[in-house]
């Protein structure tokens, strides 16, 4: 019997405490292990919190994150070598799960990846056995047992921050057998789904592939969710796959889609109106950087909310995704969050401050007569961009200067001013 607080399946629909549960949100694949800042590293606590807070502001109730489970073969991953587990990497997963729970967010966690990315995948398991064919992941008995032991370790892991085993934590909505396991045999899917259900009676089990529904998996009793990824976002394919999944008595999920491509509005509208669609998760969300600006990523689908400094179309799409998430979960779309006050960290050659959640623009003011002002604008409602931190073009050499900054939401609502930051007299290099 499933414990209270867990998302459950009722035929082809999801429920929470007996009520329908539908959702939208982002993929945030790097929450357990990042590749985007100074090479491969664990993400800072700030970046994890900023991403989850941004997801929340965008209306998300669910986040899908590969590296909370699919993390093998790198020295910083959960399993660097067969049957050797990295406690510090697991503590990073503990942290992300706790932070998601604190925000009321649910997590979908893939357990392996089809591709040979920095966080490992099928080929990692094959290489440990000296095998070149990634498909041996599904056939080799020793690989299968290694993967099963990995699953058992993860599901029974006691979160050091919450005191709760992962398998007993309702923050996790579903264990996904893997990301885009396009060639997975039905027998393997059934075997691994049974293994998870034997260990964990609380959580749902998902399986999916790219571009099309994995129809030969629809009859697997132990499988709850079928996940399909769309590049580009295709409203007709979405409706067709959702109908076929529902007809088989399974839950349909769009686990990834390309939000930058044509047809986005039609795709989102179809998902909202189609009760067979349990949820949609766009690819993919990135946070503010630790110092200033945003964490960069260059795959054509990286989203930095609310996108004001990129283009009007980019911002329009960001806000459309936000509205979609609220509507998918049956809520009215609220006004945008009024951003909190940023904190200036330095103002030597450039004015540096961390971005804050929901900020579309920033106004920076200066004073040369003290923290009480008078203040004059250096940047008036300048869009957030990748050029941050910003250089003050009006600053005179040798002048002591105070700065303050405030953030503005996409609708123009202004947050509070930061505490004034006193900078030492500026002397240019050279």
């Amino acid at each position: 019997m499933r414990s209270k607080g867990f998302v459950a399946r009722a035929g082809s629909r999801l429920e929470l405490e007996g009520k329908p549960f539908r959702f939208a949100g982002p993929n945030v694949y790097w929450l357990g292990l990042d590749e985007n800042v100074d090479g491969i590293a664990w993400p800072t606590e700030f970046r994890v919190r900023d991403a989850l807070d941004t997801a929340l502001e965008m209306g998300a109730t669910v986040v899908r994150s590969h590296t909370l489970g699919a993390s093998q073969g790198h020295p910083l991953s959960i399993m660097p070598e067969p049957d050797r587990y990295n406690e510090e990497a697991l503590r990073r997963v503990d942290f992300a799960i706790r932070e998601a729970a604190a925000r009321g967010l649910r997590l979908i966690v893939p357990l392996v990846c089809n591709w040979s990315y920095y966080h490992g995948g099928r080929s990692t398991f094959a290489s440990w056995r000296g095998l070149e064919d990634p498909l041996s992941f599904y056939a080799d008995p020793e690989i299968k047992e290694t993967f099963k032991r990995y699953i058992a370790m993860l599901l029974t892991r006691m979160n050091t921050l919450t005191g709760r085993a992962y398998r007993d934590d309702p923050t996790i909505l579903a264990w996904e057998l893997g990301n885009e396991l396009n060639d997975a045999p039905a027998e393997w899917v059934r075997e691994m789904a049974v293994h998870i259900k034997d260990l964990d009676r609380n959580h749902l089990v998902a399986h999916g592939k790219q571009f099309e529904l994995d129809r030969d998996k629809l009859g697997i009793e132990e499988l709850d969710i079928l996940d399909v990824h769309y590049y580009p976002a295709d409203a007709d394919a979405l409706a067709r796959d959702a109908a076929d999944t529902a007809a088989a008595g399974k839950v349909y999920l769009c686990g990834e889609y390309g939000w930058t491509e044509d047809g986005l509005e039609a795709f989102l509208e179809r998902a909202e109106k189609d009760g067979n669609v349990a949820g949609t998760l766009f690819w993919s969300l990135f946070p503010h950087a630790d110092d200033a600006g945003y964490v960069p990523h260059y795959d054509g689908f990286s989203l930095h909310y609310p996108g004001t400094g990129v283009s009007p179309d980019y911002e329009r799409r960001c806000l459309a995704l936000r509205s979609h998430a609220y509507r998918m979960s049956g809520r009215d779309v609220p006004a945008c969050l009024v951003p909190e006050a940023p904190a200036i960290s330095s103002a030597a050659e450039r004015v540096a401050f961390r971005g804050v959640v929901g900020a579309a623009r920033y106004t920076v003011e200066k004073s040369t007569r003290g923290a009480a002002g008078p203040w004059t604008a250096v940047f008036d409602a300048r869009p957030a961009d990748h050029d941050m931190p910003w250089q003050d073009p009006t600053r005179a050499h040798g002048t002591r200067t105070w700065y303050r900054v405030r953030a503005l939401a996409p609708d123009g609502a202004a947050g509070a001013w930061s505490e004034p930051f006193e900078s030492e007299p500026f002397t240019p290099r050279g």
Side-chain angles (χ1 to χ4, degrees):
M1 180 179 293
R2 183 174 284 107
S3 302
K4 289 185 177 180
F6 288 83
V7 176
R9 176 166 72 93
S12 62
R13 308 297 170 96
L14 294 178
E15 291 185 349
L16 179 59
E17 306 296 354
K19 298 180 180 179
F21 184 83
R22 300 179 73 217
F23 62 88
N27 280 267
V28 190
Y29 72 86
W30 47 266
L31 286 177
L33 186 62
D34 202 353
E35 62 173 333
N36 297 288
V37 182
D38 298 325
I40 298 171
W42 294 309
T44 63
E45 292 184 356
F46 166 77
R47 294 204 298 273
V48 172
R49 288 186 174 122
D50 186 84
L52 295 178
D53 284 339
T54 302
L56 205 63
E57 160 58 9
M58 293 187 71
T61 51
V62 175
V63 169
R64 181 171 177 262
S65 183
H66 298 53
T67 55
L68 297 183
S71 180
Q72 301 98 16
H74 188 274
L76 299 182
S77 64
I78 294 173
M79 187 164 67
E81 300 172 2
D83 297 308
R84 183 170 74 82
Y85 306 120
N86 186 331
E87 177 62 21
E88 186 56 36
L90 286 162
R91 287 178 182 271
R92 305 301 174 123
V93 178
D94 292 348
F95 176 78
I97 292 174
R98 186 192 70 176
E99 293 299 306
R103 292 158 176 80
L105 293 167
R106 307 283 174 149
L107 297 168
I108 295 175
V109 181
L111 297 170
V112 72
C113 189
N114 190 68
W115 314 109
S116 299
Y117 293 140
Y118 73 100
H119 52 80
R122 295 179 311 163
S123 60
T124 304
F125 286 85
S127 66
W128 283 335
R129 289 278 288 137
L131 302 172
E132 295 183 0
D133 185 359
L135 293 178
S136 61
F137 175 75
Y138 303 118
D140 184 86
E142 186 171 324
I143 290 178
K144 290 198 290 183
E145 290 306 310
T146 300
F147 187 49
K148 285 182 178 180
R149 289 192 296 271
Y150 176 79
I151 292 172
M153 178 280 302
L154 200 64
L155 271 55
T156 59
R157 161 79 177 178
M158 188 67 69
N159 190 315
T160 58
L161 300 175
T162 67
R164 175 182 280 173
Y166 289 1
R167 65 182 173 185
D168 297 326
D169 193 335
T171 307
I172 297 166
L173 187 156
W175 301 111
E176 188 170 1
L177 297 180
N179 174 56
E180 298 181 343
L181 297 182
N182 298 331
D183 303 314
E187 296 78 8
W188 182 91
V189 170
R190 177 178 287 106
E191 181 179 351
M192 295 303 163
V194 168
H195 179 61
I196 292 173
K197 295 282 189 177
D198 285 345
L199 292 165
D200 181 353
R201 305 304 298 177
N202 288 318
H203 289 108
L204 303 174
V205 177
H207 165 74
K209 65 183 296 185
Q210 286 176 298
F211 309 136
E212 62 180 339
L213 180 64
D214 209 353
R215 286 180 166 76
D216 70 335
K217 313 304 188 300
L218 290 171
I220 298 176
E221 180 180 352
E222 295 79 9
L223 199 59
D224 299 295
I225 300 170
L226 273 296
D227 173 8
V228 187
H229 300 175
Y230 301 99
Y231 297 91
D234 185 328
D236 292 335
L238 173 97
R240 180 178 62 251
D241 292 342
D244 291 348
T245 305
K250 303 295 185 184
V251 173
Y252 165 84
L253 165 66
C254 169
E256 294 181 20
Y257 62 94
W259 66 277
T260 62
E261 297 170 314
D262 293 339
L264 175 67
E265 288 78 7
F267 184 83
L268 299 181
E269 183 178 0
R270 185 74 65 88
E272 291 162 18
K273 292 180 177 179
D274 190 338
N276 292 326
V277 179
T280 66
L281 298 159
F282 70 83
W283 186 269
S284 70
L285 181 64
F286 288 85
H288 291 100
D290 291 275
D291 49 3
Y294 295 100
V295 172
H297 188 73
Y298 305 102
D299 67 355
F301 303 102
S302 306
L303 187 142
H304 296 112
Y305 178 83
T308 311
V310 181
S311 71
D313 179 66
Y314 190 109
E315 182 179 19
R316 179 183 59 79
R317 289 170 181 263
C318 285
L319 294 175
L321 292 174
R322 180 179 184 270
S323 297
H324 168 67
Y326 280 103
R327 288 195 292 262
M328 277 292 289
S329 54
R331 297 171 292 165
D332 293 333
V333 182
C336 292
L337 175 76
V338 177
E340 62 184 34
I344 298 175
S345 58
S346 66
E349 295 186 29
R350 291 175 176 266
V351 181
F353 55 90
R354 277 179 172 175
V356 292
V357 173
R361 297 172 176 83
Y362 296 93
T363 292
V364 178
E365 292 187 342
K366 66 186 288 185
S367 167
T368 57
R369 296 175 61 183
W375 297 92
T376 59
V378 180
F379 301 107
D380 185 14
R382 176 173 174 173
D385 58 34
H386 290 285
D387 291 332
M388 300 170 77
W390 293 330
Q391 188 168 17
D392 175 5
T394 68
R395 186 165 180 181
H397 300 167
T399 303
R400 174 168 287 180
T401 308
W402 288 258
Y403 290 94
R404 67 179 187 176
V405 60
R406 69 177 178 182
L408 293 84
D411 60 7
W417 288 105
S418 68
E419 290 295 322
F421 184 92
E422 181 181 359
S423 178
E424 291 300 315
F426 171 59
T427 301
R429 296 178 182 177

